Amino acid sequence: MTRAMKIAFLSLSVFLWGIQASTVAAAADERDRGRAEPRQEARAPGRSGPRPEGRAFDGRGQVLDSRYNHGRYYPPRGTVLRSLPDGYRPYYRGGSRYYFSGGIWYAPRGPEFVVVSPPPGLVISTLPPYYSTVWIGGVPYYYADDVYYSWQPGQNAYAVVDPPDNADAPSPPPPPPDSAQADLIIYPKNGQTTEQQAADRFECHSWAKGQTGFDPTQPGGGVSGNPDASRSNYNRAMSACLQGRGYQVN
């Protein structure tokens, strides 16, 4: 082999060795990135679509609901779970099945479950564990995870409702009618906010009026016969309702 051929063979060997070394280094770098950056699906409790721009997320892919200073994190609509969380409750509306847990609504989708918005008219007996009370047009609404709930006196329960008109312009809670509570001394035992106290009084007043037919805001209570007996029944109903909501009534 001539000297020129030896030099050419050596140059080719060095070139091929360089290519092999670069390939090995790139593969090692890719493995390191895979260890440092787990897939989105592995980090999140379910599978969700693209994140909306301009919204705050926590480390588990949940989005912050800051409306009315609500300040809670929820999985985005469309998030898919393989199983429901513990403590869920089933509900039905319009022939469709829904599940409720921790203020979050789910619907079945094949063998999995997807986070959804509940339909208006769906009635529940208990509000979400975390909710914000907001007064709009003199009526209290309860808000959590972009869903509004309203008290239904005739059903003694709450219902999912469409967002009220002027939802972006809440008003202060109205003061309770003096005549409606002149005979009652009410103390919040659980640190209820001013908004919540007003809502509880409003709803208990509506319920007690429906139970007894007596309305202390009307002349003579709006009843015929013995108004004193009707007012006594109203006060007992009002007290029972407020005590059930965490108030001391004297």
Side-chain angles (χ1 to χ4, degrees), residues 34 37-44:
E37 301 177 2
R39 292 183 301 161
Q40 173 68 20
E41 183 175 340
R43 291 197 300 267

Side-chain angles (χ1 to χ4, degrees), residues 38-90:
R39 292 183 301 161
Q40 173 68 20
E41 183 175 340
R43 291 197 300 267
R47 300 194 303 277
S48 59
R51 292 183 172 186
E53 295 295 331
R55 304 188 71 180
F57 286 79
D58 66 1
R60 298 181 296 166
Q62 298 188 112
V63 65
L64 175 65
D65 183 351
S66 58
R67 195 170 202 190
Y68 310 121
N69 296 316
H70 186 58
R72 306 291 303 181
Y73 285 90
Y74 299 96
R77 298 293 191 272
T79 299
V80 177
L81 302 181
R82 294 182 178 88
S83 61
L84 290 170
D86 294 337
Y88 69 84
R89 294 185 177 182

